[in-house]
Amino acid sequence: MSSRPSPSSDLALRMVNLSKSYTIGARQERYRTLRQAITDTALAPFLRIGNLFKGRAAVGDLKETFWALEDLSLEIRKGEVVGIIGRNGAGKSTLLKLLSRITEPSRGFAEIRGRVGSLLEVGTGFHPELSGRENIFLNGAILGMGRTEIAQKLDEIVAFAEVERFLDTAVKHYSSGMYLRLAFAVAAHLDTEILLVDEVLAVGDANFQRKCLGKMSGVAREGRTVMFVSHNMAAIESLCSRAVVLDKGRLLFDGDAATAIHDYLSQQGSEELFDGVFPPPGKGGKFQLLRRLEIKDRLDRVGTAFPVGESLTFTFHLKLDRPFLDLQIGVGIKNELGARVCTIAPRWSATPLGSVEAGDVQVSCSLSSLLLMPGRYLLKISVGDGKTDYEIYDDLPAFEITPGDLWGSGSLPQTFSQGIVLANAQWALEVPSPTAPTLETAEP
Amino acid sequence: MTSEPTPSATDASIATTVIRPSKGWVSLRLGEIWKYRELLYFLVWRDVKVRYKQTVLGAAWAIIQPVMTMVVFSLFFGKLARIPSDGVPYPIFSYSALVPWTLFAFGLSQGANSLVGSQNLIKKVYFPRLIIPIASVLGGTVDFALSLTVLFGLMFFFPVSLTWNLLWLPAFTLMALATALGVALWLSAMNVQFRDVRYIVPFLTQLWLFATPVAYPSSLLSEPWRTLYALNPMVGVVEGFRWALLGTETRPGPMILASSTACCLFLVSGLFYFRRMEKTFADVV
């Protein structure tokens, strides 16, 4: 097979119309005649055996083609750290599998300049019966390291994994944390020009994840080319300068990481969340006062998914059928566990809405830097006049707060066990100076 | 998968790999296996190391299995059925065949299940897939070496004197390995799509055992049937072993020629078939 020289010498990866299709067994068609049914059933084994020799996968009798990746063209320069984001099934893992040559493209081609290391999983080939040391060598060899190369890095790997004492213990006796640390340590010491990483950081406790993230940013700074698949937007944002959004096997966006993340999240959120049009399906209001809800970020972009720390503005579009002396819109924000995070209403504000004439009105309420934990939030909205609530909507899945690198640390509290809101904390360290004069020696 | 490293125009030290769809029969790329020889070594080493972990008798099983079979064969075929043994004491006659046979049968069954057993590797890392069945087949060589030393012990005990024919032994060993690999390549690649293979393998090995002169001498057959019979490569291997070790009269001749031809056929066709199917492994397994 011929290889063409890259048009530009600083390219590390070049993909041209890279595509991968899978044949999936489709639903059985109904047989029209009994004779056809019998002949098809009788012929099927022969057809399958025929496929055995054609170098084709033969799984079902009736097949449907599914494009896991379609006509992807990308160019990645040397030293770029590119994040790949997209929903499950968007083709992210397929792309990494194609580039790491685990599977073959169905169409198109890719050109790779340099040695490729792929970390699609940590601890591939680890054997529980073998000791830590033995697994380091085995796993290293599987990842493409030579024996001498591993021997040179052994101390470094062991120190990173913090398993010195258990180096000669079978890994089946390791705690899951130790196992993961060791597995990541081997992978992290893979010295290839190009690194393909898939969700490696999604394992281990918060401490270990931070360590992995640190190692990854070290790798990124070394000028190596990295392609990084993750659902962890905070990690993508802090590691990658550029990000690619895939959707259903196609390239949706390619550009700077922050925009890509925003793009992806707004596209993702819109499908499963409440669209803002009242009444929501199945929840008819008697008076139909509330017509529409818009949630905007600080740049007035309407959306349903916002990065953590974003200032939100709720805009309610109402059609009032009578004048309201004291218009009250109560908004309760609940997290996905059902815990009420806060409640907002004009009555507690220094500038309440007061009396409002009948007709179409818009009411806006802005919340500056809402420190909600990442997750989905439900709204309870009520419209009333201070005495009676005329309309109440409960459990509206209204918006999503997505992880982001809020404080430049690359991580955030992750679970609700760590609290239901975030706190912007400033830490300071003061060490009493040992040379400071004390009372006794102040004056002679 | 078709990709080959070629020096690029700008920087000779960085190789360019091109990944594109392959069609039809593809080259074997045996050079790549050489590049990955350390991985091959580690996989064999892992198989050997892990095999007898958590067993009480450990590597003694490598000896017990063929020795017990030899005892059973000697009792039933040697004593009861009085099957001729080319003038050699029956125990050593059958054991000298069981040693290469065990190597072959082990390689065949391990090799056939190797790809399916390593699916986690196949789906997560790239390396020439040929390494997997090769490693599985080679994993039997340590057991083979152990049972071979027992064979030499037996020869000393009975006693059978050694001749220079012994120098041919590595060639016959290689032939047993190559045959096992050839068949294992076919079966393992088919096993990826059709798990029926798993059920065929024990049956196939049993049938093959009876089609190989392990319990009986091939001299029971007359020419030209005997040479035709040697199209089963294991016939050549077993008779070759007996000739090299015990001095029976099956010296390299038409039989060995037929066997080695069939062996090469198995191996080469297996290699090409495997390489052809290789691209589907990660998707289907």
Side-chain angles (χ1 to χ4, degrees):
Chain A
M1 196 58 61
S2 66
S3 77
R4 313 167 193 180
S6 309
S8 165
S9 64
D10 67 343
L11 280 186
L13 287 137
R14 188 163 75 105
M15 290 152 248
V16 178
N17 294 331
L18 201 63
S19 310
K20 174 75 185 176
S21 68
Y22 288 98
T23 46
I24 48 173
R27 207 149 36 92
Q28 286 273 329
E29 257 174 38
R30 204 154 276 172
Y31 290 112
R32 267 154 300 172
T33 62
L34 181 64
R35 196 190 60 184
Q36 194 195 353
I38 291 169
T39 48
D40 277 12
T41 317
L43 282 175
F46 297 103
L47 290 174
R48 281 198 236 180
I49 287 172
N51 281 335
L52 259 184
F53 292 90
K54 287 176 195 152
R56 258 200 256 141
V59 184
D61 299 328
L62 290 165
K63 283 178 237 155
E64 201 174 84
T65 307
F66 159 75
W67 290 90
L69 201 66
E70 211 171 351
D71 291 327
L72 182 75
S73 298
L74 264 185
E75 293 192 343
I76 291 171
R77 287 185 307 278
K78 252 183 249 171
E80 259 189 314
V81 181
V82 180
I84 304 167
I85 48 188
R87 256 176 291 179
N88 289 331
K92 299 167 296 191
S93 298
T94 306
L95 175 60
L96 290 198
K97 278 188 177 182
L98 287 177
L99 294 178
S100 51
R101 296 161 74 195
I102 290 167
T103 181
E104 195 174 271
S106 313
R107 207 169 59 206
F109 69 95
E111 244 177 37
I112 301 175
R113 287 166 41 78
R115 219 155 64 98
V116 177
S118 61
L119 305 177
L120 270 57
E121 181 189 68
V122 291
T124 310
F126 260 44
H127 200 288
E129 296 282 356
L130 296 178
S131 74
R133 185 195 304 275
E134 291 165 338
N135 269 312
I136 292 177
F137 278 92
L138 179 63
N139 188 231
I142 287 171
L143 293 175
M145 286 190 251
R147 214 183 327 174
T148 46
E149 193 184 344
I150 305 166
Q152 277 168 13
K153 289 180 185 158
L154 188 67
D155 292 336
E156 219 179 308
I157 292 173
V158 173
F160 185 85
E162 301 164 22
V163 292
E164 291 92 341
R165 281 176 52 215
F166 307 97
L167 197 54
D168 292 303
T169 312
V171 296
K172 67 176 174 182
H173 300 302
Y174 278 31
S175 71
S176 54
M178 280 161 66
Y179 185 94
L180 286 174
R181 285 206 301 273
L182 183 64
F184 184 84
V186 184
H189 288 82
L190 192 58
D191 256 351
T192 53
E193 288 97 3
I194 300 166
L195 208 55
L196 309 171
V197 187
D198 192 358
E199 288 290 7
V200 169
L201 303 174
V203 294
D205 55 23
N207 239 339
F208 179 63
Q209 287 198 7
R210 192 166 321 119
K211 199 166 175 178
C212 297
L213 204 66
K215 183 77 193 175
M216 287 300 302
S217 46
V219 167
R221 277 194 302 271
E222 280 165 20
R224 286 152 69 183
T225 314
V226 183
M227 280 184 93
F228 178 51
V229 164
S230 182
H231 284 117
N232 181 346
M233 295 301 144
I236 295 263
E237 200 177 346
S238 78
L239 285 178
C240 308
S241 49
R242 173 179 166 195
V244 166
V245 183
L246 296 181
D247 184 48
K248 293 179 188 125
R250 290 167 179 278
L251 182 71
L252 212 63
F253 179 87
D254 175 12
D256 73 284
T259 317
I261 290 169
H262 180 268
D263 211 62
Y264 162 67
L265 292 174
S266 52
Q267 158 230 337
Q268 184 201 32
S270 58
E271 287 188 15
E272 296 136 11
L273 295 170
F274 173 55
D275 60 357
V277 177
F278 286 92
K283 290 181 182 174
K286 190 173 157 199
F287 301 102
Q288 301 221 351
L289 303 173
L290 198 53
R291 292 304 170 94
R292 203 146 54 85
L293 165 66
E294 280 170 346
I295 307 174
K296 296 175 188 160
D297 65 8
R298 72 185 87 204
L299 299 174
D300 267 354
R301 291 182 294 197
V302 177
T304 48
F306 304 94
V308 67
E310 182 65 57
S311 302
L312 300 186
T313 301
F314 295 104
T315 303
F316 301 93
H317 297 257
L318 298 140
K319 193 179 183 76
L320 301 179
D321 58 347
R322 77 201 86 166
F324 275 67
L325 279 178
D326 181 19
L327 180 63
Q328 291 294 338
I329 299 175
V331 182
I333 302 178
K334 283 196 281 188
N335 69 19
E336 49 202 335
L337 303 178
R340 181 74 70 98
V341 181
C342 60
T343 307
I344 47 179
R347 71 175 61 123
W348 300 305
S349 166
T351 53
L353 299 169
S355 77
V356 182
E357 291 301 310
D360 291 328
V361 291
Q362 277 184 39
V363 178
S364 286
C365 169
S366 23
L367 303 164
S368 53
S369 45
L370 203 55
L371 288 178
L372 295 175
M373 292 276 289
R376 172 169 297 202
Y377 287 87
L378 307 169
L379 293 186
K380 178 175 181 175
I381 304 172
S382 63
V383 182
D385 58 7
K387 294 183 195 111
T388 317
D389 283 336
Y390 295 103
E391 236 172 21
I392 298 177
Y393 297 100
D394 204 355
D395 289 333
L396 299 170
F399 63 96
E400 196 157 27
I401 298 295
T402 56
D405 193 15
L406 182 56
W407 293 307
S409 59
S411 61
L412 285 174
Q414 298 250 320
T415 64
F416 285 117
S417 66
Q418 288 163 313
I420 59 171
V421 289
L422 300 168
N424 192 0
Q426 313 298 324
W427 294 86
L429 175 71
E430 271 180 64
V431 181
S433 167
T435 57
T438 57
L439 279 176
E440 285 84 356
T441 56
E443 288 289 322
Chain B
M1 195 138 329
T2 332
S3 53
E4 66 190 60
T6 48
S8 82
T10 47
D11 188 350
S13 68
I14 296 178
T16 300
T17 313
V18 180
I19 297 170
R20 60 169 74 242
S22 63
K23 285 228 164 59
W25 301 104
V26 285
S27 87
L28 293 179
R29 292 221 314 268
L30 296 176
E32 212 186 7
I33 294 177
W34 178 248
K35 254 175 63 190
Y36 278 83
R37 61 189 180 279
E38 289 202 339
L39 176 60
L40 179 63
Y41 162 79
F42 275 114
L43 289 179
V44 173
W45 168 83
R46 178 196 66 180
D47 282 353
V48 171
K49 185 126 193 173
V50 166
R51 191 174 314 139
Y52 297 114
K53 282 246 168 141
Q54 278 209 352
T55 57
V56 178
L57 296 177
W61 282 112
I63 297 164
I64 295 168
Q65 282 169 320
V67 167
M68 288 309 284
T69 319
M70 180 262 282
V71 170
V72 172
F73 276 20
S74 302
L75 270 174
F76 289 93
F77 296 119
K79 285 268 180 246
L80 284 174
R82 294 192 185 286
I83 285 173
S85 56
D86 285 347
V88 183
Y90 190 87
I92 199 161
F93 169 82
S94 62
Y95 191 75
S96 61
L98 279 166
V99 169
W101 172 259
T102 313
L103 176 69
F104 168 77
F106 179 88
L108 173 61
S109 59
Q110 295 289 311
N113 288 318
S114 61
L115 281 181
V116 173
S118 312
Q119 36 180 303
N120 61 331
L121 284 190
I122 292 176
K123 285 181 176 172
K124 296 293 180 188
V125 198
Y126 171 75
F127 52 87
R129 305 310 189 199
L130 275 169
I131 296 243
I132 292 176
I134 293 176
S136 292
V137 170
L138 288 181
T141 48
V142 176
D143 286 14
F144 170 76
L146 287 172
S147 55
L148 195 65
T149 49
V150 174
L151 178 58
F152 286 121
L154 276 176
M155 287 169 63
F156 181 74
F157 176 78
F158 266 98
V160 180
S161 51
L162 292 173
T163 62
W164 286 111
N165 292 347
L166 189 69
L167 294 177
W168 278 84
L169 211 58
F172 294 121
T173 311
L174 208 65
M175 199 159 126
L177 287 172
T179 311
L181 181 63
V183 181
L185 288 173
W186 276 95
L187 292 177
S188 60
M190 287 182 177
N191 200 10
V192 168
Q193 284 187 36
F194 303 99
R195 297 292 148 88
D196 313 50
V197 169
R198 199 183 313 172
Y199 304 100
I200 294 172
V201 165
F203 174 69
L204 181 73
T205 12
Q206 207 166 30
L207 207 72
W208 206 317
L209 173 65
F210 288 115
T212 304
V214 175
Y216 57 90
S218 67
S219 55
L220 289 180
L221 281 96
S222 57
E223 291 292 355
W225 303 115
R226 203 175 168 193
T227 308
L228 207 63
Y229 171 65
L231 283 176
N232 166 10
M234 284 311 289
V235 172
V237 171
V238 162
E239 290 297 352
F241 257 71
R242 286 196 180 127
W243 167 76
L245 289 164
L246 313 175
T248 54
E249 41 90 49
T250 40
R251 69 180 53 79
M255 271 182 83
I256 303 291
L257 197 70
S259 286
S260 36
T261 311
C263 166
C264 290
L265 223 63
F266 271 121
L267 183 64
V268 172
S269 65
L271 283 168
F272 277 103
Y273 177 69
F274 188 95
R275 282 285 296 136
R276 170 157 213 187
M277 299 308 291
E278 188 178 313
K279 62 179 174 182
T280 66
F281 292 165
D283 299 337
V284 177
V285 72

